[in-house]
Amino acid sequence: MDRWFDARPVSVSKSRRFVEEATADLAPDVREAIVLMVSELATNALVHATSGFEVRIERDATTVRTTVTDNGEGTPSLSFPGEADPHGRGLRVVQELSDEWGTLDDPDAPGKAVWFVVDVSPERGPETRSGLLARIRAWGSRRRNPDRAPDRPPVDDRAE
Amino acid sequence: MVEVDGGGNARMTATVESPDSVTVILEGELDIASVELIRRGIEPYLADSPQHVVFDLARLQFMDSSGIALLIEVSNRVGSVQIRNATPIVRRVLEVTGLADALGVTD
């Protein structure tokens, strides 16, 4: 399911409501993480691309794939702000809370998409905060191990 | 005590506890739509250069990096900040951005 949101600040909270509805059956911690990541990507679309944006949610039994597409300028890039720097943390939140993420950029058209995937396999069991933090650490090591990297669609990895 | 309705979905209540200390209660959802009015609401309290600002986030249901930016801006202008009573999702955004210690997160 997908929905387009106009280039207005209130669209960010509207996109959160949309995602909450689309993930209402998931464990609260997982759902909150997905909603937070969408809020970050929607904000980036408004601030950096000065664009409206589309939020698309694709689900199967084990994964939730969320894509936020804008039609403005700019290429997402992960930054490493110091503790006193107020800005530059949106994509870090996505990196930390997703299993996979990346960007899709059509060189012949304006705009780009940023996507992330969250594994919602039932065998993971009830989510706890400490469990999620443990998973975040595990994901970090998995990302650094190319032999275990799952298949990905074509991705512009410059953002990583 | 002054209340500011942050447009969007956020509200704040600020209380001067002493000449050196201000407590700011944030409620609702702090994001790009609501942060600017909250920023303006806090500004008068920073003009007196308090040493210490306490944010009570017990009733803040959501915050993303737009809210983080505001907390860091305040932190940069006063002696110290402390964040109390953060809800699980707010605490998580502080932790994954690595700011829980810098922003004085306590239970």
Side-chain angles (χ1 to χ4, degrees):
Chain A
M1 54 197 298
D2 56 78
R3 190 173 297 174
W4 176 263
F5 298 90
D6 294 334
R8 298 190 299 153
V10 71
S11 291
V12 176
S13 60
K14 287 183 175 176
S15 72
R16 292 199 300 271
R17 300 293 93 81
F18 171 68
V19 173
E20 283 169 0
E21 287 177 24
T23 58
D25 56 308
L26 298 180
D29 277 21
V30 174
R31 186 185 185 207
E32 286 175 346
I34 294 171
V35 169
L36 173 59
M37 289 187 275
V38 166
S39 196
E40 299 293 357
L41 296 180
T43 301
N44 282 353
L46 286 183
V47 172
H48 299 302
T50 57
S51 165
F53 55 92
E54 181 199 73
V55 178
R56 177 182 296 269
I57 307 247
E58 297 160 288
R59 294 187 54 177
D60 61 28
T62 59
T63 60
V64 177
R65 181 184 180 89
T66 308
T67 308
V68 177
T69 305
D70 66 53
N71 56 19
E73 299 297 320
T75 302
S77 64
L78 195 58
S79 53
F80 299 87
E83 284 184 351
D85 186 343
H87 302 293
R89 292 188 170 79
L91 277 180
R92 287 208 62 77
V93 170
V94 176
Q95 159 127 344
E96 293 296 328
L97 291 179
S98 67
D99 285 300
E100 301 273 343
W101 73 280
T103 65
L104 298 165
D105 195 359
D106 180 350
D108 298 325
K112 72 279 178 185
V114 183
W115 59 269
F116 64 85
V117 170
V118 174
D119 186 340
V120 294
S121 306
E123 57 265 31
R124 277 192 164 163
E127 201 67 47
T128 62
R129 199 175 115 256
S130 58
L132 185 80
L133 291 173
R135 273 170 49 197
I136 289 166
R137 295 186 192 104
W139 298 335
S141 59
R142 187 175 65 190
R143 266 194 293 270
R144 286 188 290 274
N145 183 346
D147 293 338
R148 294 180 57 196
D151 292 334
R152 294 191 188 201
V155 173
D156 175 356
D157 272 325
R158 281 175 296 174
E160 298 190 22
Chain B
M1 189 171 84
V2 173
E3 295 186 23
V4 174
D5 187 329
N9 296 312
R11 291 169 303 284
M12 64 160 275
T13 306
T15 306
V16 178
E17 308 285 357
S18 75
D20 279 341
S21 181
V22 175
T23 296
V24 178
I25 297 171
L26 298 179
E27 300 176 56
E29 298 187 311
L30 197 53
D31 68 2
I32 189 174
S34 60
V35 74
E36 191 52 41
L37 273 173
I38 299 297
R39 182 178 278 118
R40 282 187 233 159
I42 291 175
E43 184 63 36
Y45 296 90
L46 302 182
D48 293 337
S49 300
Q51 280 300 301
H52 194 54
V53 175
V54 175
F55 287 99
D56 188 324
L57 305 187
R59 284 180 281 185
L60 189 66
Q61 293 149 2
F62 178 84
M63 177 176 75
D64 61 18
S65 55
S66 297
I68 292 268
L70 172 63
L71 297 181
I72 293 172
E73 288 163 17
V74 173
S75 175
N76 287 341
R77 292 175 57 185
V78 302
S80 66
V81 297
Q82 186 178 18
I83 293 176
R84 288 184 185 156
N85 303 322
T87 51
I89 183 61
V90 169
R91 182 180 276 264
R92 194 190 299 177
V93 71
L94 290 163
E95 287 173 349
V96 299
T97 51
L99 293 167
D101 289 339
L103 291 174
V105 174
T106 63
D107 289 329

